């Protein structure tokens, strides 16, 4: 709810701006913080509410972004023509207030209260115990937000490297798609509709991918599906410079929406699969902090290539190459990670029990006890099958 208020305030204050620095402060800082609050809260609440159908829930929740991407491209053109950029920002600020409604519907899942032991405590020890408890809680909260022990997890490091490579090349094609279409002789409104087509396809692909990932055949191999989605998305960017006409650009927008939707339907599901529901809130906070750097550097680097070479095709080559490399890295390293996990689990199961090595007599006694229990169980079953035999034993 605080994030929704911050986003609305950022848009309203930006409508009164008169310089680009003012827009950086209002939309960039205030609006960016508000969007971070919205994203992390919504992802965390999904991991708390769902377990068995969590991939489908992630896909449905992530479908909201392409809905507005599909709608806002032509709506922004209309608002700019009717009300100007200041009026457009005011209207978008009012739309952002709907995040407060969404936040009001979220209810935290509280664990059942633990009954107190009722043991008497000394009055002199209470302040010290309270102080130590408060310190422990503060330390837990500090490590909960930024937990650097995640870097000791091999699966998390592999996921993070692949994710950073994808984020670096994910958003530049969206930013420059309309400009590239205009450079190929497409009208401005038709070029803007390419993003709407992409968002429309993305809107249906995300729930479909979540439904596919929720199946028993894919759920255990969701990391491989994520790698395939990245490779598919990057390949679309590599083929984009071959699309010169508007129908071919429409085909590119369709496949781009498919790959983009598949990745973002799985990007946080894979993190939940690796970290679990308990560690996910801290993990997603750390991942989103690190993601900010490639997200910030990707579009300027793509624009720098356009300025140097004077052609948009090189930015698509760069983005596609980085994304395909990240997908191949994830695929190979996940195979290695799963192989090492199986090897480690096999070593744990083969490890002998130290108590049996130190006390072999105890092991023999346990075996004798098991044999005695089996004998008693056989006699009991026989007695149940033949009540007359039980009466004969009682007589004897």
């Amino acid at each position: 709810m605080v994030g929704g208020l911050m986003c609305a305030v950022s848009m309203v204050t930006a409508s009164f701006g008169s310089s680009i620095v003012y827009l950086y402060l209002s939309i960039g800082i205030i609006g960016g913080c508000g969007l971070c609050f919205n994203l992390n809260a919504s992802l965390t609440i999904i991991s708390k509410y769902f377990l068995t159908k969590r991939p489908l829930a992630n896909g449905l929740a992530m479908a909201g972004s392409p809905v507005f991407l599909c709608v806002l491209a032509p709506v922004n053109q209309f608002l700019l023509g009717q009300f100007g950029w200041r009026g457009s920002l005011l209207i978008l600020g009012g739309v952002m207030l709907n995040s407060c409604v969404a936040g009001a519907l979220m209810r935290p899942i509280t664990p059942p209260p633990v009954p107190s032991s009722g043991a008497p405590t000394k009055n002199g020890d209470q302040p010290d115990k309270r102080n130590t408890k408060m310190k422990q809680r503060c330390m837990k909260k500090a490590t909960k937000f930024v937990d650097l022990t995640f870097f000791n997890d091999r699966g998390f490091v592999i996921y993070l490297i692949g994710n950073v490579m994808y984020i670096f090349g994910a958003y530049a094609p969206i930013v420059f798609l309309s400009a590239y279409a205009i450079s190929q002789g497409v009208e401005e409104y038709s070029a803007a509709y390419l993003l709407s087509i992409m968002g429309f396809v993305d809107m249906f692909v995300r729930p479909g991918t979540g439904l596919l990932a929720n199946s028993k055949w894919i759920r255990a191999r969701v990391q491989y599906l994520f790698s395939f989605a990245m490779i598919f998305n990057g390949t679309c960017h590599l083929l984009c410079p071959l699309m010169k006409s508007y129908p071919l650009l429409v085909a590119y927008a369709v496949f781009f929406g498919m790959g983009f939707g598949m990745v973002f339907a799985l990007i946080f599901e894979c993190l939940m699969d690796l970290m679990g529901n308990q560690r996910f809130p801290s993990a997603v906070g750390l991942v989103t902090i690190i993601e900010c750097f490639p997200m910030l550097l990707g579009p300027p680097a793509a624009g720098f290539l356009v300025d140097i070479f004077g052609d948009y095709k090189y930015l698509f080559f760069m983005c596609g190459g980085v994304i395909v490399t990240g997908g191949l890295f994830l695929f190979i390293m996940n195979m290695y990670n799963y192989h090492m996990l199986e090897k480690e689990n096999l070593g744990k199961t083969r490890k002998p029990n130290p108590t049996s090595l130190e006390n072999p007599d105890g092991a023999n006694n346990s075996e004798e006890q098991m044999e005695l229990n089996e004998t008693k169980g056989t006699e009991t079953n026989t007695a149940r099958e033949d009540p007359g035999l039980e009466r004969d034993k009682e007589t004897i």
Side-chain angles (χ1 to χ4, degrees), residues 222-232 266 270 323-324 326-332 334:
V222 67
Q223 304 292 339
Y224 295 124
L225 182 61
F226 181 55
S227 305
F228 167 77
M230 284 182 59
I231 295 172
F232 179 81
L266 299 171
C270 291
I323 292 175
V324 169
L328 292 174
F329 171 82
L330 277 180
F331 185 81
I332 296 171
N334 278 323

Side-chain angles (χ1 to χ4, degrees), residues 77-108:
Q77 293 290 337
F78 174 77
L79 292 178
L80 285 173
Q82 295 292 325
F83 305 101
W85 67 271
R86 295 182 187 274
S88 301
L89 290 176
L90 282 173
I91 295 173
L92 291 177
V95 173
M96 289 289 188
L97 286 175
N98 288 282
S99 300
C100 300
V101 180
L105 296 175
M106 296 180 182
R107 291 290 183 271

Side-chain angles (χ1 to χ4, degrees), residues 368-381:
E368 293 175 358
Q369 184 68 26
M370 291 175 63
E371 291 178 358
L372 183 60
N373 291 335
E374 290 178 357
T375 306
K376 289 182 178 180
T378 304
E379 292 178 354
T380 304
N381 293 333

Side-chain angles (χ1 to χ4, degrees), residues 97-349:
L97 286 175
N98 288 282
S99 300
C100 300
V101 180
L105 296 175
M106 296 180 182
R107 291 290 183 271
I109 300 176
T110 56
V114 179
S116 59
S117 59
T121 58
K122 295 181 180 180
N123 295 328
D125 296 337
Q126 287 181 355
D128 296 334
K129 290 183 178 180
R130 289 176 181 175
N131 292 332
T132 54
K133 287 181 178 180
M134 289 295 294
K135 291 179 180 179
Q136 291 175 357
R137 289 177 182 175
C138 292
M139 291 297 294
K140 287 181 179 179
K141 289 181 178 180
T143 56
K144 184 178 179 181
F145 287 109
V146 181
D147 190 359
L148 299 180
T149 59
F150 287 116
F151 291 102
N152 297 327
D153 193 311
R154 183 174 56 245
F156 176 81
V157 174
I158 294 171
Y159 168 85
L160 184 62
I161 294 174
N163 193 19
V164 166
M165 296 178 72
Y166 175 77
I167 294 297
F168 180 81
Y171 293 98
I174 299 176
V175 174
F176 292 98
L177 178 58
S178 297
Y180 172 69
I182 293 172
S183 68
Q184 298 299 320
V186 180
E187 296 180 357
E188 292 186 3
Y189 270 93
S190 300
Y193 276 114
L194 289 175
L195 290 177
S196 299
I197 294 170
M198 174 204 161
F200 183 78
V201 175
D202 190 2
M203 177 173 55
F204 294 98
V205 169
R206 294 195 189 194
T209 305
L211 186 63
L212 178 65
N214 199 58
S215 61
K216 60 180 181 179
W217 299 282
I218 304 297
R219 183 73 180 268
R221 302 172 181 85
V222 67
Q223 304 292 339
Y224 295 124
L225 182 61
F226 181 55
S227 305
F228 167 77
M230 284 182 59
I231 295 172
F232 179 81
N233 195 0
T235 305
C236 293
H237 298 325
L238 291 175
L239 297 177
C240 180
L242 301 177
M243 312 300 176
K244 301 295 183 179
S245 62
Y246 187 70
L248 291 177
L249 287 174
V250 170
Y252 164 73
V254 170
F255 287 106
F256 182 20
M258 291 175 60
F260 195 80
M262 290 172 65
V263 171
F264 274 90
L266 299 171
I267 190 169
F268 294 111
E269 170 59 31
C270 291
L271 185 61
M272 292 180 191
D273 179 68
L274 289 171
M275 297 291 103
N277 291 340
Q278 296 298 325
R279 303 181 69 194
F280 175 74
S282 300
V284 73
L286 183 60
V287 167
T288 49
I289 290 173
I290 298 174
E291 279 180 353
C292 292
F293 297 99
M295 189 182 298
L296 183 65
L297 295 175
F304 183 68
L305 288 177
V306 175
D307 292 337
I308 291 177
F309 297 102
D311 198 341
Y312 288 95
K313 67 180 181 180
Y314 294 101
L315 78 88
F316 290 101
F317 287 149
M318 181 196 73
C319 296
V322 172
I323 292 175
V324 169
T325 304
L328 292 174
F329 171 82
L330 277 180
F331 185 81
I332 296 171
M333 294 305 296
N334 278 323
M335 291 179 63
Y336 169 75
N337 184 34
Y338 286 140
H339 174 71
M340 292 301 296
L341 288 175
E342 291 178 0
K343 192 175 180 180
E344 291 168 1
N345 293 332
L346 188 62
K348 290 179 181 179
T349 54

